[in-house]
Amino acid sequence: MAKNITPRKENYSQWYLDVIAAGQLADYAPVKGCMVIRPSGFAIWEAMQSRLDRMFKETGHVNASFPLLIPKHFMEREAEHVEGFSPECAVVTHGGGKELEEPLMIRPTSETVIGHMYSQWIQSYRDLPVLINQWCNVLRWEMRTRLFLRTSEFLWQEGHTAHETAEEAQEETLRMLEIYRVFQEEYLAIPVIKGIKSESEKFPGALSTYSVEAMMQDGKALQSGTSHNLGQNFAKAFEIDFLDRNNNQKYVWTTSWGASTRMIGGLIMTHSDDDGLILPPKIAPVQVAIVPIFNNDQERSETQEFADTISNRLKEKIDQLQIKIDSSDNLRPADKFFHWIQQGVPVRIEVGPRDVKKQSAMVARRDIR
Amino acid sequence: MAKNITPRKENYSQWYLDVIAAGQLADYAPVKGCMVIRPSGFAIWEAMQSRLDRMFKETGHVNASFPLLIPKHFMEREAEHVEGFSPECAVVTHGGGKELEEPLMIRPTSETVIGHMYSQWIQSYRDLPVLINQWCNVLRWEMRTRLFLRTSEFLWQEGHTAHETAEEAQEETLRMLEIYRVFQEEYLAIPVIKGIKSESEKFPGALSTYSVEAMMQDGKALQSGTSHNLGQNFAKAFEIDFLDRNNNQKYVWTTSWGASTRMIGGLIMTHSDDDGLILPPKIAPVQVAIVPIFNNDQERSETQEFADTISNRLKEKIDQLQIKIDSSDNLRPADKFFHWIQQGVPVRIEVGPRDVKKQSAMVARRDIR
């Protein structure tokens, strides 16, 4: 059992924070409730992002970038939306050394500003569907924060689509929910349950909200991907209308869906143990760590060479396998093993001078340790 | 000459905006000076980002994420820095429905908050160098804005490194400047000149600032990648010190370097013509557009099939070639050609029924049209 990690049984919340600290995944930022994602944590987010992004593109979605700042009166155009998000907003009142005429809100989500742009871009049914996603940061002022799970600023993707018919919008809503399910199960190895949110829990302004939720080790459910059928609420508020196939002016039907850095929190709470992080191979930024063990320079070069050979052979077998050879000389082998265990690397290979002679190696799987 | 684009000779500024509009690259956002990057424009940024990111990683850099909001007193810790950036800052004064005790600034750049984190992460020479980059949005309040070239919010990457010695920091500063040169010349096909900025033009808080600059079609230089040797200024302001190899407490030497969505502006102004955008093949999100020409259903399926064959053969020859077959039936062929010309796609292939019989095709290069 790792000395730098509180056992789950003793204090589950502290265990969670200790795993993050030991894995050097994230720190709190100087601004209350905000987060610094360190390189080891960010590599996990990059892996998630690249796989999810591919799934979005395979279903015809494209990426774009919408602004961080939203005029206050935009937020007010959809009644439920402003009521839901106003208490969580960060407000910019000064810019360029002057007080602004109208306060600006840092986006807590972008339905309003994207709705405004869609009203300009969409004229006819030929412009539909619009299938746009963005990867960005958003801000929701939080009183009680926890790294990854609930932070005032977080990173996410928000998809925003516009459709000709109610049926298409509902299909899209469920299609993206299914992508979240597949992603969580196949890449993160997290079994999830798909479901619809109650009236009180749904997204402010949505017709209906669906989510995927998973059971964490403390027996609590964690929501980690949501998909909203927004009906015509935002279309009416932002006048997103179009000329349909019969030459009638109609409102579009919109959806939005998002997944965030919270997924990293879910990943930690699903797989990790009292020794630290455990990462599933498909999402691990490094899948194999090879540790050469040596006592002198000759052994060092022998084991290093053998480690290179193993690495090359593995890469020949498995395309795009990420391997790290830990040749640093400032840590003892046991400390290196410990490091890679706490980083959650799925497979660890140890090679000493005797292994070189026998052309064998010790292989350890992190998940069944 | 395209009717929707003002000729360069007539009005260079209007030409620039017309090329962006015709290519559907970007729009102004509802908040003054901010920008919406549309899917066609964002695909260019994604292409830039993936290639630059690979170059950064090949030189040992890793990505991380630092917070959007910076406490006001952080900005004030380096004298030149606060003087340089304060007039450009957007200030958050309210959050969660309350006035904040200390105003927060939206990052115009992240030296201060990253310096604060580095002071906690760096203890000994063994922790050095720290080679971190982040891809994010920043805000600098601008009075006169131009899409991509000068917007209040923009997307960029900012690298921030910490080193043991002055020599290493200077090497890093020049290494990253050289990466910008190579990237601009080899991927964007923009010849640049490397140089050092004058005392009055250097980054607020830097020892020295280097940049790559290119000559635009209007005879003006555009700066599109900067690399700063920050000396020990931020190390002293944020107390980033370490135990060196002789057990002495020393300040680190830091650098920072960045390139932004402004590069898209430079790309437009270097290559485009009076018909619209021209994209160099290595950065074009779509390299080949194939337009089947047909008058009836039989011709349609024949030309479509032939287009597929051409596409497959090209993909066999060139790995990762991005090809778009334009089978839409709501535009005349001439309008489709026009569309792909304005989008800047490097190669256009036209296939009609006679081409199918002759097993040939018309191929047009965008850049020598």
Side-chain angles (χ1 to χ4, degrees):
Chain A
M1 196 156 55
K3 283 180 194 155
N4 56 347
I5 295 176
T6 307
R8 279 163 290 185
K9 277 190 185 167
E10 216 170 275
N11 183 335
Y12 187 79
S13 289
Q14 192 56 47
W15 165 80
Y16 175 77
L17 294 175
D18 289 348
V19 169
I20 290 173
Q24 301 193 320
L25 302 183
D27 278 342
Y28 279 109
V31 170
K32 199 174 165 299
C34 293
M35 175 171 58
V36 173
I37 309 180
R38 301 185 67 171
S40 297
F42 199 78
I44 298 172
W45 180 239
E46 281 183 301
M48 289 179 170
Q49 199 173 354
S50 78
R51 283 154 189 77
L52 256 184
D53 195 69
R54 197 171 54 214
M55 293 170 88
F56 296 155
K57 283 177 176 154
E58 280 167 2
T59 45
H61 300 82
V62 290
N63 289 330
S65 172
F66 294 89
L68 176 76
L69 299 177
I70 299 179
K72 190 157 172 278
H73 75 271
F74 269 45
M75 292 296 292
E76 289 162 354
R77 281 169 75 169
E78 210 290 329
E80 282 182 38
H81 196 67
V82 65
E83 200 187 321
F85 282 110
S86 281
E88 296 180 5
C89 276
V91 188
V92 177
T93 56
H94 290 72
K98 286 183 191 161
E99 184 164 359
L100 303 176
E101 285 177 26
E102 183 189 9
L104 301 171
M105 288 168 159
I106 295 181
R107 61 182 163 217
T109 177
S110 304
E111 280 73 11
T112 58
V113 64
I114 293 180
H116 171 77
M117 298 311 300
Y118 282 6
S119 72
Q120 296 171 42
W121 296 342
I122 298 168
Q123 310 301 330
S124 117
Y125 72 91
R126 291 193 185 278
D127 301 322
L128 296 172
V130 174
L131 305 173
I132 291 181
N133 175 59
Q134 80 169 340
W135 292 93
C136 68
N137 54 342
V138 293
L139 227 137
R140 297 179 187 175
W141 215 262
E142 296 282 356
M143 287 300 104
R144 293 174 64 88
T145 56
R146 295 196 73 195
L147 289 172
F148 293 118
L149 296 174
R150 195 170 288 281
T151 48
S152 290
E153 183 192 8
F154 54 90
L155 304 183
W156 78 348
Q157 58 69 217
E158 46 176 331
H160 295 267
T161 69
H163 304 266
E164 267 188 271
T165 65
E167 292 69 34
E168 274 184 35
Q170 178 65 8
E171 271 168 33
E172 169 78 3
T173 307
L174 297 180
R175 179 182 304 118
M176 302 325 285
L177 185 71
E178 174 64 7
I179 283 185
Y180 291 138
R181 184 195 68 75
V182 170
F183 175 71
Q184 303 250 344
E185 298 199 341
E186 293 192 3
Y187 290 93
L188 307 189
I190 300 178
V192 293
I193 290 176
K194 295 200 287 190
I196 189 163
K197 288 285 196 185
S198 68
E199 203 52 29
S200 67
E201 284 178 315
K202 74 177 171 64
F203 180 82
L207 219 57
S208 52
T209 289
Y210 299 82
S211 73
V212 292
E213 314 215 358
M215 177 84 92
M216 300 296 106
Q217 293 178 17
D218 62 350
K220 288 187 186 151
L222 184 81
Q223 166 189 314
S224 56
T226 51
S227 188
H228 315 292
N229 185 339
L230 304 174
Q232 292 181 311
N233 293 348
F234 288 89
K236 286 177 181 164
F238 288 89
E239 289 168 29
I240 319 172
D241 54 11
F242 70 104
L243 220 51
D244 77 358
R245 287 161 205 266
N246 305 316
N247 248 359
N248 295 319
Q249 205 72 21
K250 291 270 176 68
Y251 286 115
V252 302
W253 300 79
T254 68
T255 82
S256 68
W257 29 274
S260 74
T261 35
R262 159 178 280 204
M263 284 192 299
I264 299 177
L267 195 69
I268 295 167
M269 291 201 298
T270 299
H271 300 300
S272 301
D273 64 16
D274 289 349
D275 286 321
L277 201 61
I278 296 179
L279 292 174
K282 283 190 189 168
I283 209 75
V286 174
Q287 283 123 357
V288 179
I290 307 181
V291 182
I293 306 165
F294 48 84
N295 286 308
N296 53 49
D297 278 354
Q298 201 201 321
E299 283 179 10
R300 185 188 176 145
S301 73
E302 277 173 17
T303 53
Q304 172 72 44
E305 197 186 313
F306 189 42
D308 289 340
T309 307
I310 293 172
S311 172
N312 292 335
R313 284 199 199 156
L314 283 174
K315 280 181 184 167
E316 276 167 25
K317 295 259 181 207
I318 303 170
D319 198 32
Q320 299 193 318
L321 193 68
Q322 295 298 314
I323 302 175
K324 202 106 176 184
I325 300 177
D326 184 352
S327 310
S328 57
D329 58 1
N330 60 325
L331 289 180
R332 293 172 309 151
D335 292 332
K336 290 188 186 179
F337 304 157
F338 191 58
H339 171 76
W340 294 110
I341 287 167
Q342 300 222 310
Q343 291 273 324
V345 172
V347 172
R348 188 179 79 250
I349 300 179
E350 308 171 6
V351 286
R354 268 188 285 182
D355 296 311
V356 178
K357 286 205 184 77
K358 288 195 292 179
Q359 292 285 297
S360 69
M362 211 290 278
V363 178
R365 263 176 69 172
R366 174 65 180 95
D367 62 331
I368 52 170
R369 186 168 180 270
Chain B
M1 197 157 52
K3 281 178 193 157
N4 55 347
I5 295 176
T6 307
R8 278 162 290 186
K9 277 188 183 167
E10 215 169 274
N11 183 336
Y12 187 79
S13 288
Q14 192 55 49
W15 165 80
Y16 175 76
L17 294 175
D18 289 348
V19 170
I20 290 172
Q24 300 193 321
L25 302 183
D27 278 342
Y28 280 109
V31 170
K32 198 173 166 299
C34 293
M35 176 170 58
V36 173
I37 308 179
R38 300 184 67 172
S40 297
F42 199 79
I44 297 172
W45 180 240
E46 281 182 302
M48 290 180 169
Q49 199 173 355
S50 78
R51 282 153 189 77
L52 258 184
D53 195 69
R54 199 171 51 213
M55 293 170 88
F56 295 156
K57 284 178 175 154
E58 281 167 1
T59 44
H61 300 81
V62 290
N63 288 331
S65 172
F66 295 89
L68 176 75
L69 300 176
I70 299 179
K72 191 159 171 277
H73 75 273
F74 269 45
M75 293 296 291
E76 290 162 354
R77 282 170 73 169
E78 209 291 330
E80 283 183 36
H81 196 66
V82 65
E83 199 187 320
F85 281 110
S86 281
E88 297 180 5
C89 276
V91 188
V92 177
T93 55
H94 291 72
K98 287 184 190 160
E99 184 163 359
L100 302 176
E101 286 177 23
E102 182 189 11
L104 301 171
M105 287 168 158
I106 296 181
R107 63 182 163 218
T109 177
S110 304
E111 279 74 10
T112 58
V113 64
I114 293 180
H116 171 77
M117 298 312 299
Y118 282 6
S119 73
Q120 295 171 41
W121 296 341
I122 298 167
Q123 310 300 332
S124 119
Y125 72 91
R126 292 193 185 278
D127 300 324
L128 297 172
V130 173
L131 306 172
I132 291 180
N133 175 60
Q134 80 168 340
W135 292 93
C136 67
N137 55 341
V138 293
L139 226 136
R140 296 179 187 176
W141 215 261
E142 295 282 355
M143 287 299 103
R144 293 174 62 87
T145 56
R146 295 196 73 194
L147 288 172
F148 293 118
L149 296 174
R150 196 170 285 282
T151 47
S152 290
E153 183 192 7
F154 55 89
L155 305 183
W156 79 348
Q157 58 69 215
E158 47 177 330
H160 297 267
T161 68
H163 305 267
E164 265 186 273
T165 65
E167 293 69 34
E168 272 183 38
Q170 178 65 7
E171 272 168 33
E172 169 79 3
T173 307
L174 297 179
R175 180 182 303 121
M176 302 324 286
L177 185 72
E178 173 65 8
I179 282 185
Y180 291 138
R181 184 196 68 75
V182 170
F183 176 70
Q184 302 250 345
E185 298 200 341
E186 292 192 5
Y187 289 94
L188 308 188
I190 300 178
V192 293
I193 290 176
K194 294 200 285 189
I196 190 163
K197 288 286 195 185
S198 68
E199 203 52 29
S200 67
E201 285 178 314
K202 74 177 170 62
F203 180 81
L207 218 58
S208 53
T209 288
Y210 299 83
S211 73
V212 292
E213 314 216 359
M215 178 83 93
M216 301 294 106
Q217 294 177 17
D218 61 351
K220 289 187 185 149
L222 184 79
Q223 166 189 313
S224 55
T226 52
S227 188
H228 316 293
N229 184 338
L230 304 174
Q232 293 182 309
N233 293 347
F234 288 89
K236 286 176 181 164
F238 287 90
E239 291 168 27
I240 319 173
D241 53 12
F242 70 103
L243 220 51
D244 78 357
R245 286 163 206 265
N246 305 316
N247 248 358
N248 296 319
Q249 204 73 20
K250 292 270 178 68
Y251 286 113
V252 300
W253 299 80
T254 68
T255 82
S256 67
W257 29 274
S260 73
T261 35
R262 158 177 280 202
M263 284 192 299
I264 299 176
L267 194 71
I268 295 168
M269 292 201 299
T270 299
H271 299 299
S272 301
D273 63 17
D274 289 349
D275 286 322
L277 200 60
I278 296 179
L279 292 175
K282 282 190 191 170
I283 208 76
V286 174
Q287 282 124 356
V288 179
I290 306 180
V291 182
I293 306 166
F294 48 84
N295 285 308
N296 53 49
D297 279 353
Q298 201 201 320
E299 284 178 9
R300 184 186 177 147
S301 73
E302 277 172 15
T303 54
Q304 172 71 44
E305 197 185 314
F306 190 41
D308 289 339
T309 307
I310 293 172
S311 172
N312 291 335
R313 285 198 199 159
L314 284 174
K315 281 181 184 169
E316 277 167 25
K317 295 259 181 207
I318 303 171
D319 196 33
Q320 299 193 317
L321 194 68
Q322 294 296 316
I323 301 176
K324 202 106 176 183
I325 300 176
D326 184 352
S327 311
S328 57
D329 58 1
N330 59 324
L331 289 179
R332 292 172 310 149
D335 292 332
K336 290 187 186 180
F337 304 157
F338 192 58
H339 171 76
W340 295 110
I341 287 166
Q342 301 222 311
Q343 292 273 324
V345 172
V347 171
R348 189 179 77 252
I349 300 178
E350 307 173 5
V351 286
R354 267 188 285 182
D355 297 310
V356 178
K357 285 205 184 76
K358 289 195 291 177
Q359 292 284 298
S360 69
M362 210 291 277
V363 179
R365 263 175 68 170
R366 174 65 181 96
D367 61 332
I368 52 171
R369 188 169 178 271

